[in-house]
Amino acid sequence: MESKLLKFSLVCVTGAFVLAANPITAYAYEEGVAGFTYDKISIRSEKDSSSITTLSSDEIPVPGFSDIGIADVETNLLVRSGPGEDKKIVGKLPKNAGCDIIKEDAGNGWTKISSGKVSGYVKTKYLITGTQASKLALKVGDYIATANTNGLRVRKEPSVDAEVLDQVARGEELIVLEGAVPNYDEEHKKWVKVSLDSDESEEGTIGYVAKEYVDLSYQLKKALSIEELNFGSEVSSVRIRLVNKAKEYLGGRYRYGTSVLGVSVDCSGFTQQIYKKFGYSIPRDSRSQGSSGTNISSSQLKPGDLVFYGNGGRISHVAIFIGNGKIIHASNRRDGIKISNLYYRQPIKYVRYIKG
């Protein structure tokens, strides 16, 4: 079995294997400007690294879980408020997502679980548990860098002099491609290679972040809560229906270059196909979508409008605004279709296709 091993200190938190960066590496100090932070680097003293370890496929319970379960479905496992198909749906547990088993036999083939912000009941037959789940966890998770400061700068190269590709908000997660940049000197090994959401390749836009500005962890997907959005009276019914339709695909698979709802989509394929369901024909790629509609300001945004992200004036990612400061988008191979904060990255353009 192929192991995903990076050298990190192991700390246990709910739903994730938290791995603190090797303390021999960098310390980045803050210098705030207009709410953002520079990623300048200085050296800190070496600390005891005796706690550095790797994940073991034989370790039970899995760090971060008291009793792990993994969703054994092709799309999403519905989480309900009670043990029965007549109970309200409170969330969705995507394929290979992890959960804590609270009560394995909750009656009539149901198990009570907790995952992310969702707690409820799922059908027991669709859960992998025990040793099998512990071993599978090492195959289906991803190393993640979570921004621990606002305005985390993602740079084109592992250097403070390199071009800034984007800035991401505190709490946002980036897929780690390499825990320490290889084949560089010690200064450059203070960086983590990450992937930004993008429709330009399967791997996304490649960038680098300073280790001190991120918390590194090994995570499984989490359950997605079913959020009820409150729309104002000025929002048309088509906008409400479009947003609700988009949310039906939460947890759906991301795959670069595809546009089949319910199978796999990339970011622009998702927006194009959702719009198509409501009679709107928009271009296939994100840059063309950004140049074909009506430009609006952030203050004019309504649910159903499109939000674009990228570097400078170059668009590389698109999402649908759903109200209350949130977007829904086909994000990346790890998360698939998800809900994020509008400013999880810095938007560069807002476009309207729906009149009214």
Side-chain angles (χ1 to χ4, degrees):
M1 180 180 70
E2 180 182 356
S3 296
K4 296 184 179 181
L5 300 178
L6 291 180
K7 211 167 187 182
F8 294 121
S9 299
L10 191 59
V11 183
C12 185
V13 298
T14 302
F17 312 116
V18 174
L19 309 143
N22 186 336
I24 299 174
T25 58
Y27 176 80
Y29 60 86
E30 296 187 359
E31 187 172 69
V33 175
F36 294 105
T37 306
Y38 288 117
D39 47 4
K40 295 182 178 178
I41 306 298
S42 64
I43 302 298
R44 68 176 175 187
S45 61
E46 180 174 340
K47 295 182 180 179
D48 174 35
S49 59
S50 60
S51 63
I52 291 176
T53 185
T54 55
L55 300 178
S56 167
S57 61
D58 298 323
E59 185 169 0
I60 300 174
V62 173
F65 297 89
S66 59
D67 186 3
I68 190 172
I70 296 179
D72 186 20
V73 291
E74 286 304 313
T75 53
N76 292 284
L77 177 56
L78 297 180
V79 185
R80 297 183 180 272
S81 60
E85 293 188 0
D86 59 334
K87 303 300 182 181
K88 179 182 177 181
I89 297 172
V90 297
K92 295 180 179 181
L93 197 63
K95 179 181 180 180
N96 291 332
C99 65
D100 256 317
I101 296 174
I102 300 173
K103 187 177 182 181
E104 187 168 357
D105 182 12
N108 299 320
W110 293 81
T111 294
K112 187 174 184 180
I113 61 98
S114 176
S115 178
K117 298 179 180 179
V118 178
S119 181
Y121 296 79
V122 299
K123 287 189 174 181
T124 305
K125 65 180 180 180
Y126 296 121
L127 278 181
I128 297 172
T129 60
T131 303
Q132 186 180 0
S134 298
K135 292 182 177 180
L136 180 59
L138 292 184
K139 291 183 176 181
V140 299
D142 285 289
Y143 287 101
I144 300 299
T146 304
N148 59 31
T149 184
N150 277 321
L152 172 67
R153 293 185 175 185
V154 183
R155 294 186 177 273
K156 190 172 184 178
E157 300 293 339
S159 167
V160 294
D161 299 320
E163 175 188 352
V164 176
L165 297 175
D166 211 330
Q167 298 182 61
V168 299
R170 182 191 297 272
E172 292 300 327
E173 299 176 344
L174 301 170
I175 295 175
V176 174
L177 302 179
E178 292 170 3
V181 181
N183 304 320
Y184 285 102
D185 58 26
E186 289 303 314
E187 180 69 18
H188 285 158
K189 287 183 179 179
K190 300 167 187 176
W191 299 80
V192 179
K193 187 177 181 181
V194 297
S195 172
L196 281 172
D197 300 339
S198 173
D199 69 350
E200 296 182 333
S201 72
E202 179 69 27
E203 204 169 47
T205 298
I206 307 305
Y208 299 84
V209 294
K211 279 189 177 179
E212 189 64 20
Y213 284 152
V214 295
D215 298 321
L216 298 171
S217 60
Y218 184 81
Q219 296 186 22
L220 277 69
K221 293 179 183 178
K222 303 180 184 70
L224 305 165
S225 63
I226 304 301
E227 301 178 32
E228 294 184 359
L229 302 173
N230 296 316
F231 298 99
S233 59
E234 76 282 359
V235 179
S236 64
S237 62
V238 68
R239 289 179 177 273
I240 295 174
R241 289 188 287 113
L242 186 146
V243 167
N244 286 336
K245 175 59 67 175
K247 290 169 62 182
E248 290 180 10
Y249 295 95
L250 272 173
R253 183 184 178 195
Y254 172 95
R255 186 177 180 184
Y256 172 67
T258 61
S259 58
V260 183
L261 287 172
V263 179
S264 65
V265 292
D266 58 17
C267 66
S268 54
F270 177 60
T271 53
Q272 183 197 47
Q273 293 305 308
I274 290 295
Y275 267 62
K276 183 178 180 180
K277 286 184 173 292
F278 294 86
Y280 294 90
S281 178
I282 66 175
R284 172 62 180 89
D285 66 272
S286 59
R287 260 172 298 210
S288 297
Q289 290 179 9
S291 62
S292 299
T294 301
N295 292 339
I296 58 174
S297 66
S298 59
S299 62
Q300 295 174 306
L301 273 176
K302 293 182 180 181
D305 289 333
L306 299 185
V307 182
F308 296 86
Y309 302 86
N311 177 31
R314 181 182 174 85
I315 291 170
S316 62
H317 191 64
V318 59
I320 300 173
F321 181 65
I322 60 174
N324 291 343
K326 303 285 186 181
I327 57 168
I328 186 169
H329 57 141
S331 177
N332 53 54
R333 61 174 173 77
R334 170 184 174 251
D335 299 316
I337 298 170
K338 65 182 286 190
I339 290 175
S340 299
N341 291 320
L342 171 62
Y343 294 105
Y344 90 108
R345 290 168 60 184
Q346 292 298 301
I348 61 175
K349 196 171 189 180
Y350 312 92
V351 170
R352 174 167 294 163
Y353 284 95
I354 304 171
K355 295 181 178 179

